[in-house]
PDB file of all heavy atoms in Angstrom:
ATOM      1  N   VAL Q 192      12.492   6.085 -45.826  1.00  0.00           N
ATOM      2  CA  VAL Q 192      12.384   7.267 -44.930  1.00  0.00           C
ATOM      3  C   VAL Q 192      10.964   7.776 -44.884  1.00  0.00           C
ATOM      4  O   VAL Q 192      10.397   8.066 -43.860  1.00  0.00           O
ATOM      5  CB  VAL Q 192      13.388   8.306 -45.305  1.00  0.00           C
ATOM      6  CG1 VAL Q 192      13.104   9.606 -44.543  1.00  0.00           C
ATOM      7  CG2 VAL Q 192      14.848   7.847 -45.072  1.00  0.00           C
ATOM      8  N   VAL Q 193      10.327   7.824 -46.031  1.00  0.00           N
ATOM      9  CA  VAL Q 193       8.956   8.307 -46.176  1.00  0.00           C
ATOM     10  C   VAL Q 193       8.024   7.397 -45.392  1.00  0.00           C
ATOM     11  O   VAL Q 193       7.163   7.848 -44.659  1.00  0.00           O
ATOM     12  CB  VAL Q 193       8.530   8.411 -47.665  1.00  0.00           C
ATOM     13  CG1 VAL Q 193       7.057   8.703 -47.687  1.00  0.00           C
ATOM     14  CG2 VAL Q 193       9.304   9.532 -48.299  1.00  0.00           C
ATOM     15  N   ARG Q 194       8.213   6.103 -45.595  1.00  0.00           N
ATOM     16  CA  ARG Q 194       7.362   5.163 -44.846  1.00  0.00           C
ATOM     17  C   ARG Q 194       7.510   5.253 -43.331  1.00  0.00           C
ATOM     18  O   ARG Q 194       6.545   5.121 -42.579  1.00  0.00           O
ATOM     19  CB  ARG Q 194       7.662   3.744 -45.322  1.00  0.00           C
ATOM     20  CG  ARG Q 194       6.586   2.692 -44.999  1.00  0.00           C
ATOM     21  CD  ARG Q 194       6.888   1.374 -45.631  1.00  0.00           C
ATOM     22  NE  ARG Q 194       8.002   0.755 -45.054  1.00  0.00           N
ATOM     23  CZ  ARG Q 194       8.030   0.052 -43.923  1.00  0.00           C
ATOM     24  NH1 ARG Q 194       6.874  -0.073 -43.236  1.00  0.00           N
ATOM     25  NH2 ARG Q 194       9.065  -0.493 -43.414  1.00  0.00           N
ATOM     26  N   ARG Q 195       8.751   5.483 -42.896  1.00  0.00           N
ATOM     27  CA  ARG Q 195       9.011   5.565 -41.473  1.00  0.00           C
ATOM     28  C   ARG Q 195       8.326   6.850 -40.903  1.00  0.00           C
ATOM     29  O   ARG Q 195       7.735   6.763 -39.798  1.00  0.00           O
ATOM     30  CB  ARG Q 195      10.500   5.655 -41.257  1.00  0.00           C
ATOM     31  CG  ARG Q 195      10.867   5.828 -39.784  1.00  0.00           C
ATOM     32  CD  ARG Q 195      12.343   5.888 -39.584  1.00  0.00           C
ATOM     33  NE  ARG Q 195      12.641   6.157 -38.168  1.00  0.00           N
ATOM     34  CZ  ARG Q 195      13.820   6.407 -37.654  1.00  0.00           C
ATOM     35  NH1 ARG Q 195      14.905   6.347 -38.496  1.00  0.00           N
ATOM     36  NH2 ARG Q 195      14.030   6.625 -36.455  1.00  0.00           N
ATOM     37  N   ARG Q 196       8.380   7.903 -41.628  1.00  0.00           N
ATOM     38  CA  ARG Q 196       7.728   9.117 -41.209  1.00  0.00           C
ATOM     39  C   ARG Q 196       6.188   8.957 -41.082  1.00  0.00           C
ATOM     40  O   ARG Q 196       5.538   9.431 -40.123  1.00  0.00           O
ATOM     41  CB  ARG Q 196       7.987  10.256 -42.171  1.00  0.00           C
ATOM     42  CG  ARG Q 196       9.455  10.742 -42.086  1.00  0.00           C
ATOM     43  CD  ARG Q 196       9.774  11.808 -43.170  1.00  0.00           C
ATOM     44  NE  ARG Q 196      11.120  12.274 -43.025  1.00  0.00           N
ATOM     45  CZ  ARG Q 196      11.682  13.098 -43.919  1.00  0.00           C
ATOM     46  NH1 ARG Q 196      11.004  13.475 -45.008  1.00  0.00           N
ATOM     47  NH2 ARG Q 196      12.928  13.495 -43.768  1.00  0.00           N
ATOM     48  N   ARG Q 197       5.678   8.174 -42.017  1.00  0.00           N
ATOM     49  CA  ARG Q 197       4.239   7.899 -41.968  1.00  0.00           C
ATOM     50  C   ARG Q 197       3.886   7.045 -40.706  1.00  0.00           C
ATOM     51  O   ARG Q 197       2.898   7.278 -40.013  1.00  0.00           O
ATOM     52  CB  ARG Q 197       3.717   7.198 -43.211  1.00  0.00           C
ATOM     53  CG  ARG Q 197       3.752   8.070 -44.423  1.00  0.00           C
ATOM     54  CD  ARG Q 197       3.356   7.275 -45.635  1.00  0.00           C
ATOM     55  NE  ARG Q 197       3.303   8.167 -46.842  1.00  0.00           N
ATOM     56  CZ  ARG Q 197       3.117   7.688 -48.095  1.00  0.00           C
ATOM     57  NH1 ARG Q 197       2.934   6.350 -48.301  1.00  0.00           N
ATOM     58  NH2 ARG Q 197       3.071   8.501 -49.111  1.00  0.00           N
ATOM     59  N   ALA Q 198       4.725   6.042 -40.425  1.00  0.00           N
ATOM     60  CA  ALA Q 198       4.505   5.249 -39.237  1.00  0.00           C
ATOM     61  C   ALA Q 198       4.611   6.059 -37.944  1.00  0.00           C
ATOM     62  O   ALA Q 198       3.822   5.834 -37.011  1.00  0.00           O
ATOM     63  CB  ALA Q 198       5.569   4.125 -39.171  1.00  0.00           C
ATOM     64  N   GLN Q 199       5.568   7.008 -37.938  1.00  0.00           N
ATOM     65  CA  GLN Q 199       5.668   7.893 -36.809  1.00  0.00           C
ATOM     66  C   GLN Q 199       4.465   8.750 -36.619  1.00  0.00           C
ATOM     67  O   GLN Q 199       3.945   9.013 -35.539  1.00  0.00           O
ATOM     68  CB  GLN Q 199       6.895   8.742 -36.904  1.00  0.00           C
ATOM     69  CG  GLN Q 199       8.216   7.997 -36.713  1.00  0.00           C
ATOM     70  CD  GLN Q 199       9.428   8.830 -36.954  1.00  0.00           C
ATOM     71  OE1 GLN Q 199       9.367   9.856 -37.631  1.00  0.00           O
ATOM     72  NE2 GLN Q 199      10.572   8.416 -36.398  1.00  0.00           N
ATOM     73  N   ALA Q 200       3.883   9.228 -37.719  1.00  0.00           N
ATOM     74  CA  ALA Q 200       2.659  10.057 -37.686  1.00  0.00           C
ATOM     75  C   ALA Q 200       1.495   9.238 -37.159  1.00  0.00           C
ATOM     76  O   ALA Q 200       0.717   9.729 -36.314  1.00  0.00           O
ATOM     77  CB  ALA Q 200       2.325  10.625 -39.083  1.00  0.00           C
ATOM     78  N   ASP Q 201       1.381   7.984 -37.611  1.00  0.00           N
ATOM     79  CA  ASP Q 201       0.368   7.139 -37.105  1.00  0.00           C
ATOM     80  C   ASP Q 201       0.511   6.917 -35.612  1.00  0.00           C
ATOM     81  O   ASP Q 201      -0.518   6.881 -34.833  1.00  0.00           O
ATOM     82  CB  ASP Q 201       0.369   5.748 -37.825  1.00  0.00           C
ATOM     83  CG  ASP Q 201      -0.107   5.878 -39.264  1.00  0.00           C
ATOM     84  OD1 ASP Q 201      -0.771   6.872 -39.655  1.00  0.00           O
ATOM     85  OD2 ASP Q 201       0.244   4.936 -40.078  1.00  0.00           O
TER      86      ASP Q 201
END
Side-chain angles (χ1 to χ4, degrees):
V192 170
V193 170
R194 197 173 69 82
R195 178 181 176 185
R196 289 174 177 172
R197 289 177 178 173
Q199 289 176 337
D201 291 341

